[in-house]
Amino acid sequence: RRWHMSLGTFFRDYVYIPLGGSRCKWPRMVLNTFVVWALTGLWHGASWNFVLWGLLFAGLLLLEKWVLPLDKIPGILRRVYVLFAVCMSFVLFNAVDMTQAVGDFAGLFGFNGLPVVSTETVYYLKSYGILFLIGFVAATPFVRDSLANLSGRETAGKILAVLEPLAMAAILLLCTAYLVDGSFNPFLYFRF
């Protein structure tokens, strides 16, 4: 049996459980959760925005555990909630400092004198519209269900066996083309 360690298992085994984990009274468990996620944020970088990024996820986990369990929310709203939360966390994670994070959040919602729709918005919608459409369709169960239905048929299953690798290669080429076309964007962790 192979043994491996991920960031999550490290924090669970060496921080969360030694602090008492969830086998303690709820105020202590809340504290344990916030400590682990604050340390997870610090692991990503020595800046307040990373700590707040971790604390944001701690808050979301506790909210989902006690206030609004995700299994009680309809599927489409769950997806919207998760995508919104993750995208907002990326803004916080990407910021150089808290001033930039606040400015970026304000700009996202039309504050700071930035319009919600501008010529840049139209440009990006035209440039990435096809990817948005593909992502929207791929995020629904339509593609999965259709492929499962078709693969059950003998002729369609053989055709899909040939088309699937071709489709994956086309997606790889499309993603590579968009990456090459993009402007210079150094890897996030090079900021250290």
Side-chain angles (χ1 to χ4, degrees):
R1 179 180 147 118
R2 292 174 51 179
W3 184 84
H4 72 281
M5 175 72 62
S6 69
L7 181 64
T9 56
F10 172 82
F11 278 111
R12 182 195 65 207
D13 294 347
Y14 295 103
V15 180
Y16 187 69
I17 292 173
L19 285 173
S22 56
R23 295 180 182 232
C24 50
K25 293 185 178 178
W26 74 268
R28 180 61 190 216
M29 192 200 60
V30 169
L31 177 67
N32 295 345
T33 303
F34 277 108
V35 167
V36 167
W37 279 94
L39 290 173
T40 303
L42 276 176
W43 182 87
H44 283 88
S47 179
W48 282 111
N49 61 305
F50 293 111
V51 175
L52 289 176
W53 172 85
L55 294 176
L56 169 69
F57 278 101
L60 290 174
L61 284 171
L62 294 171
L63 178 78
E64 292 166 15
K65 185 176 183 100
W66 286 322
V67 179
L68 193 60
L70 285 182
D71 59 348
K72 306 262 191 242
I73 302 173
I76 188 74
L77 292 178
R78 262 194 313 246
R79 287 180 175 88
V80 169
Y81 158 72
V82 169
L83 286 173
F84 182 77
V86 168
C87 288
M88 293 301 104
S89 76
F90 287 161
V91 172
L92 189 57
F93 194 89
N94 185 53
V96 174
D97 56 22
M98 288 310 300
T99 304
Q100 180 188 350
V102 170
D104 289 348
F105 279 122
L108 276 173
F109 299 103
F111 300 105
N112 271 357
L114 296 172
V116 175
V117 177
S118 65
T119 54
E120 289 86 7
T121 309
V122 174
Y123 168 77
Y124 284 117
L125 282 174
K126 285 181 180 178
S127 297
Y128 297 103
I130 210 132
L131 281 181
F132 288 144
L133 183 62
I134 291 170
F136 179 78
V137 172
T140 66
F142 173 75
V143 174
R144 182 195 63 214
D145 294 346
S146 299
L147 289 174
N149 187 20
L150 287 173
S151 64
R153 300 177 184 164
E154 186 178 338
T155 307
K158 290 178 182 177
I159 293 170
L160 283 175
V162 173
L163 289 181
E164 184 179 8
L166 293 175
M168 293 299 162
I171 291 170
L172 176 66
L173 285 173
L174 183 64
C175 291
T176 304
Y178 274 107
L179 285 172
V180 169
D181 185 48
S183 62
F184 175 71
N185 190 6
F187 184 57
L188 178 68
Y189 292 113
F190 287 164
R191 286 200 311 226
F192 301 108

